Amino acid sequence: MINEDKIEKFFYCLLLLLCAIFIGCIVIIGAKYQKPNDDVRRIHLIGNYEIEGVQKDIQSNIVKGKLLGAKDKRQVVFRGHFDEDILTGNELFLYMHHVKMVLKQNGKEIYRYGFEESHPSIVKSNGIDWARIKMDGITKEDEIEISLESVYNGVHDKTYGVFLENIYMGDYHDFIVQQVHKHIVNIVISAGLIICGIIYLSGLILVKIIQKNMPYSYASCGLVMITGAICSLFDYSYITLLINNTFIITIVDYLSCMMMVVLLMVYFRNYLISESYIYLSRRLIHYGGNIIVIYLILQLAGLASEVKFLEVLFG
């Protein structure tokens, strides 16, 4: 029979080895990764925005990613022109955050986004996503009107500012490379943690076969690594370009975050001694599990979106 000291040393060595593996991956991939194509460029909308009939200049009212006066405002209308020509065949990329959008060029509607026909009926918005628009050409002289309407009340003060600071034009594949390049360290670390979690669980299964009385709750450590890495990996600024289904991305992201919290409590319960603390941890674990079940039921029934559910849950 293998004693607990040997098992503990085994897992310490395993964790050190896993850390060395994914640090090595960061160095190797970072050294080989090429700079993205410079043909993808960020452009700016020059002009005014209107909120409840009041017009203000765009450039002088963006402070640290926030559009002044736009917090909790359901609708904002931008009017002006782009600071660069968008050639025919290029794509326009706009970063959306739970909004509906109508884009007009010289008074003519050329694109709409986020309305009921573009997402499943059990959710109220497309979530956080890039709108991709294949352009027939826009010049710097063309009058552009962009109407944004938030799907939810309690609009974050960065919703419209982030939109304005993330307008790009160029080739779709070059844009993917650019966004992945921006987040390459996060991607490698997250992928490394997932691999580490899988290897850890594999080692645990091996030890379980030998050491029959090992608690299953130790598996929660590896599952915390995997679910936490998924939460980190799912950065919407690039993942929505790789996976063309924001509904699935959002559900998996939120489920992973909630499961990570529950699994973390399961893991730390192994180190509790006091009966009162053990009882409290069990209640918290049950509470967390029930929240996940309630979330799934309400979401599948179309009675609550992931955003409103978390607003009710956490305030």
Side-chain angles (χ1 to χ4, degrees):
M1 187 69 67
I2 299 177
N3 61 43
E4 292 185 2
D5 287 339
K6 290 183 178 180
I7 293 175
E8 188 175 356
K9 289 179 181 178
F10 169 78
F11 281 111
Y12 280 138
C13 292
L14 181 60
L15 287 174
L16 288 173
L17 176 62
L18 296 178
C19 290
I21 289 173
F22 81 77
I23 290 173
C25 289
I26 294 174
V27 174
I28 294 171
I29 295 178
K32 292 184 177 181
Y33 203 82
Q34 300 297 315
K35 186 179 179 180
N37 196 316
D38 289 334
D39 288 342
V40 175
R41 296 192 302 280
R42 178 187 166 193
I43 60 176
H44 302 84
L45 183 65
I46 309 299
N48 302 312
Y49 66 97
E50 180 180 330
I51 300 177
E52 298 176 345
V54 178
Q55 293 191 10
K56 297 180 181 179
D57 177 67
I58 293 175
Q59 276 63 44
S60 60
N61 284 280
I62 295 182
V63 179
K64 296 181 179 179
K66 300 177 182 179
L67 186 65
L68 299 181
K71 185 177 181 179
D72 295 330
K73 304 301 181 183
R74 289 287 299 272
Q75 187 172 33
V76 177
V77 179
F78 301 98
R79 297 184 181 92
H81 59 88
F82 292 124
D83 61 349
E84 290 191 41
D85 293 337
I86 303 176
L87 302 178
T88 301
N90 275 347
E91 289 190 69
L92 182 66
F93 304 96
L94 305 171
Y95 198 44
M96 303 298 188
H97 194 286
H98 299 286
V99 294
K100 299 177 182 178
M101 181 196 71
V102 175
L103 172 62
K104 295 181 180 180
Q105 178 184 5
N106 296 324
K108 179 183 177 181
E109 182 179 315
I110 61 173
Y111 186 79
R112 57 173 40 218
Y113 170 93
F115 289 85
E116 287 73 13
E117 65 276 6
S118 64
H119 55 75
S121 59
I122 60 175
V123 293
K124 294 182 178 181
S125 79
N126 283 27
I128 303 174
D129 189 21
W130 286 100
R132 294 172 49 198
I133 310 168
K134 197 76 171 180
M135 303 306 299
D136 290 330
I138 294 180
T139 68
K140 291 185 289 186
E141 288 74 30
D142 287 334
E143 183 68 25
I144 300 298
E145 179 179 305
I146 301 175
S147 177
L148 294 182
E149 180 183 353
S150 176
V151 176
Y152 304 107
N153 294 319
V155 182
H156 195 279
D157 53 359
K158 285 190 176 182
T159 297
Y160 303 116
V162 169
F163 168 82
L164 289 170
E165 292 186 342
N166 287 274
I167 303 176
Y168 292 86
M169 70 168 180
D171 177 75
Y172 173 59
H173 295 96
D174 289 340
F175 186 59
I176 292 177
V177 172
Q178 184 189 77
Q179 292 301 312
V180 169
H181 184 266
K182 285 182 179 180
H183 302 88
I184 189 63
V185 173
N186 177 59
I187 293 171
V188 173
I189 291 176
S190 300
L193 283 174
I194 292 175
I195 295 171
C196 290
I198 294 172
I199 295 175
Y200 179 88
L201 290 176
S202 301
L204 194 66
I205 292 171
L206 179 61
V207 173
K208 178 66 178 176
I209 294 172
I210 302 172
Q211 182 87 355
K212 299 293 185 181
N213 62 348
M214 175 172 286
Y216 284 102
S217 58
Y218 280 105
S220 59
C221 178
L223 293 173
V224 165
M225 294 171 68
I226 293 172
T227 53
I230 290 174
C231 293
S232 176
L233 186 65
F234 276 31
D235 188 313
Y236 294 86
S237 59
Y238 73 86
I239 198 70
T240 52
L241 295 169
L242 300 174
I243 303 174
N244 190 25
N245 192 320
T246 53
F247 172 69
I248 296 297
I249 291 172
T250 305
I251 297 298
V252 171
D253 183 27
Y254 278 76
L255 276 178
S256 297
C257 292
M258 289 188 284
M259 289 177 64
M260 179 185 66
V261 175
V262 174
L263 290 166
L264 200 58
M265 290 189 289
V266 172
Y267 176 71
F268 282 123
R269 188 179 64 180
N270 295 319
Y271 300 97
L272 298 178
I273 299 175
S274 170
E275 287 294 330
S276 59
Y277 287 152
I278 292 174
Y279 174 80
L280 177 62
S281 69
R282 286 175 179 170
R283 298 276 67 82
L284 290 173
I285 291 168
H286 292 158
Y287 174 70
N290 290 334
I291 287 176
I292 294 175
V293 173
I294 292 170
Y295 166 72
L296 286 172
I297 293 173
L298 292 177
Q299 184 66 83
L300 292 173
L303 299 176
S305 71
E306 59 280 352
V307 172
K308 297 304 291 181
F309 178 80
L310 293 178
E311 284 181 0
V312 172
L313 185 61
F314 299 112

